[in-house]
């Protein structure tokens, strides 16, 4: 029997970026919030031994323990889904701060086009431009409507950057100036300009200078230490929930954090109201019920979907007829369209860098280029990054070099600081048969079904990746590389190869309750006091990293929760849209 | 960098050189002790193996990390020889033996990585498609045990010698067969075993020396990788800069 605890105003499931932002915003408003997090608590001082590639980058020291819970995967419905037994394609956050602790800090706003992808594509190119099985949707929110929340999030995190010449309007300049430009970044900049493109320094959550945010939190500048993505920042320079929003929540006295506590169910009354959550203290094995007026589900894409399905909330997506919404429109990131340039007599400080350090162009992103004669829609950014090339993972050799032995050793050492990569970060469209549901066979350590992922690359992705790869090659040739290896064909999606932790969809937002699960405040259409926050809300993914947009949506959801507690009811009137599948 | 840090760096460096000299490793000898070395130095055909170095027992800088946690001595000898072919000594600098990579692998196999502690290991097991990642029921301890025996058996069958006693060319030929997946093992494919061995070799060359490989940070030195540094603020906008590597013990002990 679960021990029933006293009721709280709001309970948050998972304390990463989304959970952290919501905790700080609600507690500032005087609401009592309980944050339940399956992993342990953390503090910056714990990162003293951080510069350890083996422990954190290779062995995933900060990530979810897959022995207890993983994802099953198949490329299509005809295949048997099997568990992701080891890490590969994406890495899952665990512990207070979530993946926000070990992210890079590449921090973007999506393009205005992204939010109205379906209607703008049809408007410009006609219905026929969208293949029949492509289930892309508008977000139910426009760029201008989300802009103030981007602004709020960026000020909290202290995002460093300069204007994107091809991006949406900004109500305010970046809180801090752009990161430093390295020699090779300048090389990219000159080459891009020569090609008539519009380079700009990547917006970054690694602070370019000391910064104090509107909550009064002060942090120091990034040291370009090169141990950033997959690592925690021992300086607190990288914006993460532990050094930004969580101290603010704690300071109010209204926040109670419960680490090592695993939520197994969202409880509800059967009449469209959530009543709280059921969780297990992982240290003692004790089970608790935490009643609450508001339940906020912020446990990342996979568990956001899984907990809804396990708790029997919302309508399960049915890929056969496109009805239902929970699990619908899983999308990813098309990151393989890229080129690698080898320089015979130039060396760069590739061992140094920061997670968010880079320079890019958006000339081939969104609808910034004409697609009339192209057989795909959208595109992606093209970026040259300098994140710190650590030696175990980075052994670049030109194609044709053996993969072991003296020749390999010689080439990998020669090119280790003489290889520059330019890569496409392609947008990922939603398709009818790409979705998440409960696996019929494999279970987690509680005996509950794992989430099952059905996903593959489509013709759209192959075309897009190839197109971006060719653009990458042009830039590298202009940069003076002696030898360029370019991706030729996009292979099927392989869950064993790291690509990005940019999983999206499953609990998507929209204007129509028939085709979406949550409204533009991320309030569930079917359950008014349940907010599902994260990249799970993206109807499809853009040609950028997701977290800037997750942050903006979290601020908007927090505003919606406060509004709901005052006035009750649905925050948005649902409307029937023509775009239903 | 403070002068203090510089001093401790120099101290580490000189003890490192002493260590390499005393252990005979710099000269490329097999790193097994005298008594054991003679015991193991006999291969299946009764021929002596390459001479083992005799390490003075009272050496104050001896490396107590050079002992086995998981491997049998035979498994260690095969790993030591095979990793040296994957990452051989050359003009760039030391190879696997001198970097103590086989010790690194031994130590890793003994822990959670060897047993797959943080991997999903529940059944049912199915072969799966190539896009579904590793689906075997074996952990790395088992894969290495089977794979290393496979190397020895294949060498015996083909050359009537143990793998460590083969010439470099013969060893390369054996490893190529494994890498190409041409050898049948009971359980893993030979190419999967080889890819595990190759990945572990690179880890042993470049992981922080605290794990027992990358001896004296010589792996990092070859690659111009500075290891653990607190800041690159001063050089981030500069042309390529060589920086003396530093390991995590510099952080822990200061
Ligand atoms: C290596 C890496 C690099 C990245 N780099 C970038 C980047 O440069 N730019 C970018 O935009 N994005 C990046 N990302 C993605 C970014 O980290 C995520 O978008 C972001 O952290 C998502 O925030 P979230 O709060 O939705 O989820 P998370 O940060 O994942 O937080 C979810 C939390 O919920 C907890 N949880 C899950 N299930 C339960 C349960 N049942 N009970 C209790 N708690 C639970 C988890 O333990 C976790 O702490 C990166 C990710 C990784 C792994
Ligand atoms: S690169 Fe900068 S932000 Fe990243 S961990 Fe190092 S100091 Fe922190």
């Amino acid at each position: 029997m679960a021990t029933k605890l006293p009721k709280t105003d709001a309970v948050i499931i998972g304390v990463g970026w989304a959970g952290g932002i919501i905790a700080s915003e609600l507690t500032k408003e005087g609401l009592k919030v309980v944050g339940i997090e399956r992993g342990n608590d953390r503090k910056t001082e714990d990162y003293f031994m951080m510069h350890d590639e083996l422990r954190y980058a290779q062995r995933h020291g900060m990530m979810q323990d897959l022995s207890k819970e993983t994802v099953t995967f198949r490329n299509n419905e005809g295949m048997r889904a099997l568990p992701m037994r080891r890490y590969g394609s994406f890495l899952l956050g665990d512990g207070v701060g979530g993946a926000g602790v070990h992210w890079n800090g590449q921090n973007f706003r999506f393009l205005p086009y992204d939010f109205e992808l379906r209607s703008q594509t049809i408007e410009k190119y006609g219905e026929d431009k969208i293949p029949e099985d492509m289930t892309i949707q508008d977000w139910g929110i426009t760029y201008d409507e989300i802009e103030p929340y981007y602004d709020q999030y960026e000020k909290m995190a202290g995002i460093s950057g300069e204007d994107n010449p091809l991006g949406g309007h900004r109500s305010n300049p970046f809180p801090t100036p752009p990161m430093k430009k390295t020699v090779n970044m300048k090389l990219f900049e000159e080459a891009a300009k020569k090609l008539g493109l519009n380079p700009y320094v990547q917006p970054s959550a690694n602070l370019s200078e000391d910064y104090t945010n509107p909550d009064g939190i002060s942090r120091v500048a990034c040291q370009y230490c090169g141990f950033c993505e997959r690592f925690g920042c021992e300086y607190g320079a990288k914006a993460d929930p532990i050094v930004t929003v969580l101290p603010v929540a704690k300071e109010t006295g209204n926040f109670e954090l419960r680490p090592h506590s695993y939520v197994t169910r969202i409880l509800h009354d059967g009449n469209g109201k959530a009543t709280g959550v059921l969780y297990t203290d992982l240290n003692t094995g004790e089970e608790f019920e935490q009643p609450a007026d508001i339940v906020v589900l912020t446990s990342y894409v996979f568990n956001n979907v899984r907990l809804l399905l396990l708790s029997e909330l919302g309508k399960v997506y049915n890929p056969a007829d496109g009805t239902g919404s929970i699990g619908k429109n899983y999308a990813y990131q098309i990151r393989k369209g890229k080129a690698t340039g080898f320089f015979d007599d130039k060396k760069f400080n590739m061992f140094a860098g920061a997670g968010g350090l880079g320079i890019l162009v958006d000339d081939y992103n969104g609808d910034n280029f004409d697609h009339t004669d192209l057989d795909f829609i959208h595109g992606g950014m093209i970026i040259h990054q300098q994140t710190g090339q650590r030696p175990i993972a980075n052994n670049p050799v030109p194609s044709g070099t053996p993969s072991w032995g003296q020749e390999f050793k010689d080439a990998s050492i020669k090119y280790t600081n003489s290889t520059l990569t330019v890569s496409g970060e392609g947008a990922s469209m939603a398709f009818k048969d790409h979705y998440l549901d409960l696996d019929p066979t494999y279970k987690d350590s509680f005996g509950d079904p794992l989430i099952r992922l059905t996903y593959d690359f489509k013709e759209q992705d192959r075309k897009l990746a190839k197109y971006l790869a060719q653009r990458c090659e042009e830039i590298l040739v202009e940069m003076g590389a002696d030898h360029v290896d370019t991706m030729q064909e996009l292979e099927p999606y392989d869950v064993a190869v790291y690509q990005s932790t940019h999983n999206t969809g499953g609990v998507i937002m929209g204007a129509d309750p028939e085709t979406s699960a949550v409204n533009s405040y991320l309030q569930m259409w079917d359950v008014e006091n349940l907010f599902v926050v994260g990249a799970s809300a993206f109807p499809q993914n853009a040609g950028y990293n997701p977290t800037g947009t997750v942050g903006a949506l979290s601020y908007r959801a927090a505003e919606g929760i406060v509004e709901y507690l005052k006035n009750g009811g649905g925050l948005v009137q649902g409307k029937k849209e023509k775009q239903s599948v | 960098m403070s002068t203090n840090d510089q001093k401790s760096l120099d101290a580490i460096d000189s003890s490192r050189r002493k260590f390499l000299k005393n252990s005979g490793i710099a000269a490329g000898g097999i790193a097994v002790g005298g008594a054991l070395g003679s015991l193991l130095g006999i291969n299946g055909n009764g021929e002596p193996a390459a001479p083992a170095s005799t390490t003075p027992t009272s050496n104050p800088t001896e490396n107590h990390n050079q002992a086995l946690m998981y491997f049998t001595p035979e498994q260690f000898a095969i790993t030591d020889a095979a990793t040296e072919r994957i990452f051989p000594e050359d003009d760039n600098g030391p190879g696997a033996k001198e970097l103590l990579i086989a010790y690194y692998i031994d130590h890793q196999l003994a822990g959670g990585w060897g047993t797959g502690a943080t991997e999903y290991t529940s059944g049912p097991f199915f072969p799966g498609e190539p896009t579904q990642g590793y689906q075997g029921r074996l952990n790395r301890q088992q894969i290495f045990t089977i794979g290393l025996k496979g190397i020895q058996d294949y060498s015996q069958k083909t050359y009537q010698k143990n793998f460590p006693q083969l010439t470099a060319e013969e060893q390369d030929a054996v490893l190529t067969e494994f890498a190409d997946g041409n050898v049948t093992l009971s359980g893993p494919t030979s190419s999967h075993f080889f890819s595990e061995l190759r990945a572990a070799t690179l880890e042993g060359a470049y992981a922080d020396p605290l794990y027992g490989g990358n001896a004296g940070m010589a792996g990092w030195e070859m690659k111009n990788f500075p290891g653990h540094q607190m800041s690159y603020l001063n050089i981030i906008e500069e042309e390529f800069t060589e920086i003396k590597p530093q390991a995590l013990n510099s952080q822990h002990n200061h």
Side-chain angles (χ1 to χ4, degrees):
Chain A
M1 240 331 253
T3 308
K4 193 164 178 171
L5 300 166
K7 192 173 177 185
T8 182
D9 292 328
V11 63
I12 293 178
I13 307 170
V15 186
W17 258 135
I21 289 171
I22 290 185
S24 83
E25 289 307 290
L26 298 191
T27 53
K28 278 197 271 179
E29 290 288 326
L31 299 171
K32 297 281 182 201
V33 176
V34 172
I36 303 186
E37 166 56 48
R38 67 180 169 189
N40 288 329
D41 202 359
R42 289 198 270 237
K43 51 188 190 304
T44 302
E45 294 87 312
D46 300 341
Y47 305 160
F48 200 61
M49 283 286 139
M50 246 318 132
H51 293 177
D52 184 338
E53 182 185 12
L54 185 73
R55 179 173 173 187
Y56 294 105
Q58 301 299 118
R59 304 281 189 264
H60 314 111
M62 303 194 107
M63 287 137 199
Q64 175 182 317
D65 178 348
L66 296 182
S67 73
K68 303 203 162 64
E69 178 186 351
T70 185
V71 171
T72 71
F73 164 73
R74 54 182 182 172
N75 287 99
N76 55 61
E77 290 173 321
M79 211 162 132
R80 185 203 309 267
L82 294 175
M84 179 173 85
R85 296 185 179 278
R86 298 174 176 177
Y87 272 118
S89 177
F90 45 83
L91 307 167
L92 302 165
D94 183 80
V96 175
V101 170
H102 51 72
W103 71 317
N104 292 50
Q106 303 178 256
N107 197 96
F108 290 93
R109 293 178 172 205
F110 289 177
L111 296 167
Y113 172 66
D114 283 311
F115 295 97
E116 296 169 276
L117 180 67
R118 185 176 185 92
S119 49
Q120 287 198 16
T121 304
I122 291 176
E123 197 180 311
K124 187 157 170 199
Y125 303 106
E127 296 257 6
D128 291 350
K129 192 75 180 174
I130 302 174
E132 211 177 321
D133 63 339
M134 191 191 276
T135 50
I136 55 172
Q137 295 184 188
D138 291 358
W139 289 52
I141 192 170
T142 63
Y143 177 82
D144 286 344
E145 284 165 336
I146 199 178
E147 201 282 337
Y149 306 100
Y150 272 128
D151 192 55
Q152 203 179 352
Y153 162 80
E154 287 170 2
K155 283 181 181 143
M156 174 275 294
I159 302 304
S160 308
E162 60 185 6
D163 274 355
N164 173 3
L166 302 172
H169 139 90
R170 301 181 58 89
S171 56
N172 281 297
F174 280 95
T176 52
M179 304 282 283
K180 293 183 187 299
K181 255 182 233 169
T182 64
V183 172
N184 34 295
M185 282 164 70
K186 286 184 189 144
L187 213 54
F188 177 97
E189 184 178 36
E190 286 156 23
K193 280 187 178 156
K194 266 194 216 140
L195 293 168
L197 306 172
N198 294 278
Y200 67 104
V201 175
Q202 173 172 238
S204 159
N206 320 127
L207 282 180
S208 62
E209 61 181 32
D210 296 359
Y211 177 69
T212 302
N213 79 6
D215 291 319
I217 298 271
S218 295
R219 289 156 45 222
V220 298
C222 168
Q223 302 297 309
Y224 301 88
C225 77
F227 286 82
C228 201
E229 83 272 21
R230 306 190 181 195
F231 305 85
C233 176
E234 68 271 38
Y235 290 97
K238 175 163 66 176
D240 93 28
I242 289 176
V243 295
T244 54
V245 287
L246 290 175
V248 173
K250 281 180 189 156
E251 185 68 25
T252 63
N254 293 328
F255 184 54
E256 197 193 322
L257 176 68
R258 294 201 196 125
H260 53 80
S261 295
Y262 195 101
V263 175
T264 48
R265 291 292 185 279
I266 299 165
L267 303 169
H268 51 103
D269 63 5
N271 290 316
K273 276 273 164 63
T275 54
V277 302
L278 192 66
Y279 74 90
T280 300
D281 180 325
L282 294 173
N283 288 358
T284 64
E286 267 180 288
E287 202 174 45
F288 295 96
E289 181 185 335
Q290 176 60 66
D293 286 329
I294 298 275
V295 176
V296 191
L297 181 52
T298 51
S299 62
Y300 197 62
V301 171
F302 296 107
N303 272 353
N304 281 1
V305 175
R306 196 163 80 104
L307 278 169
L308 290 178
L309 293 174
L310 288 175
S311 310
E312 299 180 358
L313 284 161
K315 292 182 202 75
V316 183
Y317 175 63
N318 179 352
D321 60 11
T323 59
S325 58
I326 309 303
K328 171 181 166 172
N329 276 24
Y330 174 87
Y332 193 45
Q333 196 89 70
I334 312 305
R335 258 202 171 171
K336 298 212 134 185
K338 61 178 168 193
T340 310
F342 298 88
F343 292 75
D344 283 333
D345 346 276
K346 274 194 196 137
K347 278 187 163 186
F348 308 94
N349 291 322
M350 296 313 285
F351 51 82
L357 185 63
I359 186 161
L360 70 145
V361 297
D362 274 327
D363 298 77
Y364 305 109
N365 204 349
D367 202 33
N368 289 344
F369 59 118
D370 186 51
H371 288 72
T372 309
D373 298 325
L374 297 171
D375 41 14
F376 61 91
I377 62 167
H378 212 303
M381 63 160 150
I382 286 184
I383 186 164
H384 170 53
Q385 281 181 269
Q386 185 160 357
T387 58
Q389 299 279 91
R390 292 168 301 274
I392 298 173
N394 294 286
N395 290 284
V397 292
S399 57
T401 311
S403 64
W404 57 279
Q406 198 274 326
E407 220 181 306
F408 166 78
K409 182 188 174 193
D410 191 51
S412 64
I413 288 172
K414 171 175 157 63
Y415 286 113
T416 204
N417 285 305
S418 304
T419 303
L420 303 182
T421 301
V422 174
S423 26
E425 176 151 326
S428 170
M429 300 300 103
F431 289 89
K432 199 172 174 185
D433 57 349
H434 290 171
Y435 61 99
L436 299 168
D437 66 354
L438 293 177
D439 190 272
T441 309
Y442 294 95
K443 307 270 192 281
D444 70 6
S445 55
F446 290 95
D448 281 324
L450 296 178
I451 196 85
R452 175 170 68 175
L453 164 61
T454 307
Y455 178 75
D456 204 351
F457 297 134
K458 299 266 182 177
E459 203 48 29
Q460 148 81 20
D461 305 312
R462 286 186 279 275
K463 298 264 169 56
L464 178 150
K466 198 167 177 173
Y467 183 85
L468 290 182
Q470 288 163 354
R471 304 292 82 76
C472 294
E473 180 182 280
E474 287 161 9
I475 296 171
L476 268 171
V477 169
E478 192 64 43
M479 283 167 78
D482 296 291
H483 175 85
V484 181
D485 279 341
T486 308
M487 185 219 70
Q488 296 302 323
E489 295 295 337
L490 184 66
E491 309 271 320
Y493 174 68
D494 184 343
V495 84
V497 180
Y498 189 77
Q499 292 160 59
S500 78
T501 307
H502 302 174
N503 319 85
T504 66
V507 196
I508 65 174
M509 59 196 286
D512 182 351
E514 283 294 311
T515 58
S516 58
V518 294
N519 65 27
S520 67
Y521 286 95
L522 310 199
Q523 177 184 34
M524 243 179 116
W525 291 114
D526 299 348
V527 192
E528 280 174 2
N529 65 338
L530 174 56
F531 290 73
V532 187
V533 188
S536 53
F538 298 5
Q540 58 274 329
N541 199 12
Y544 293 118
N545 307 54
T547 308
T549 303
V550 171
L553 289 175
S554 303
Y555 277 99
R556 180 162 164 97
E559 192 184 291
I561 293 168
V562 172
E563 174 69 23
Y564 172 78
L565 278 172
K566 276 192 202 135
N567 303 318
L571 294 159
V572 181
Q573 194 65 41
K575 56 174 186 253
K576 191 99 192 116
E577 290 210 327
K578 225 185 114 235
Q579 62 171 262
S580 0
V581 227
Chain B
M1 193 191 290
S2 69
T3 31
N4 237 345
D5 287 347
Q6 188 56 55
K7 253 189 251 147
S8 68
L9 257 192
D10 290 343
I12 292 166
D13 195 51
S14 91
S15 68
R16 182 192 131 237
R17 262 177 271 127
K18 238 185 276 159
F19 154 63
L20 290 176
K21 195 158 146 255
N22 288 338
S23 60
I25 284 171
I30 290 183
V32 284
L36 260 182
S38 56
L39 209 152
L40 300 167
I42 309 295
N43 67 20
N45 302 321
E47 296 163 3
S53 68
T54 42
T55 311
T57 45
S58 60
N59 181 352
T61 58
E62 72 187 315
N63 182 357
H64 295 109
N65 196 269
Q66 277 179 266
L68 301 182
M69 299 179 191
Y70 177 73
F71 281 147
T72 64
E74 182 187 13
Q75 290 170 331
F76 176 84
I78 301 164
T79 306
D80 203 35
T83 52
E84 180 68 21
R85 295 317 304 154
I86 292 171
F87 200 84
E89 184 186 356
D90 68 358
D91 293 345
N92 293 293
K97 287 186 189 219
E98 202 175 322
L99 292 168
L100 307 184
I101 287 176
Y103 289 101
Y104 163 84
I105 296 176
D106 168 75
H107 299 355
Q108 286 294 306
L109 280 171
W113 180 77
T115 57
T118 59
E119 293 167 11
Y120 189 82
T121 50
S122 309
F125 293 92
F126 298 100
E129 299 294 325
T131 56
Q132 290 177 300
Y134 180 67
Q135 291 298 336
R137 58 180 74 233
L138 304 171
N139 65 30
R140 287 190 188 79
Q141 288 186 348
Q142 294 165 310
I143 292 170
F144 271 77
T145 298
I146 294 165
L148 293 172
K149 179 168 187 303
I151 288 186
Q152 197 80 308
D153 289 350
Y154 186 89
S155 305
Q156 276 295 341
K157 197 180 90 204
T158 314
Y159 302 103
Q160 291 75 52
K161 278 183 189 159
N162 280 344
F163 182 78
Q165 276 71 57
L166 300 180
T167 64
E169 291 70 29
E170 288 166 344
Q171 288 177 338
D172 284 352
V174 174
L175 293 176
T176 302
E177 288 299 299
F178 274 73
D180 292 347
N182 295 338
V183 183
T184 305
L185 300 173
S186 155
T189 62
S190 70
S191 57
H192 178 75
F193 161 64
F194 184 82
S195 72
E196 293 273 9
L197 181 65
R198 175 192 177 272
T201 304
L202 291 177
E203 288 177 357
Y206 297 126
D208 192 285
L210 87 91
Y211 294 99
N214 186 14
M217 301 187 286
W220 286 348
E221 249 163 41
M222 280 187 278
K223 255 197 171 186
N224 277 310
F225 184 73
H228 158 70
Q229 303 287 332
M230 288 312 289
S231 176
Y232 290 124
L233 209 50
N234 293 338
I235 59 106
I236 191 72
E237 291 169 302
E238 304 300 317
E239 297 288 332
F240 179 70
T241 312
E242 260 184 53
I243 298 173
K244 220 164 140 60
Q246 196 167 264
L248 271 173
N249 77 326
S250 67
Q251 169 94 338
H252 188 58
N253 296 331
H254 80 188

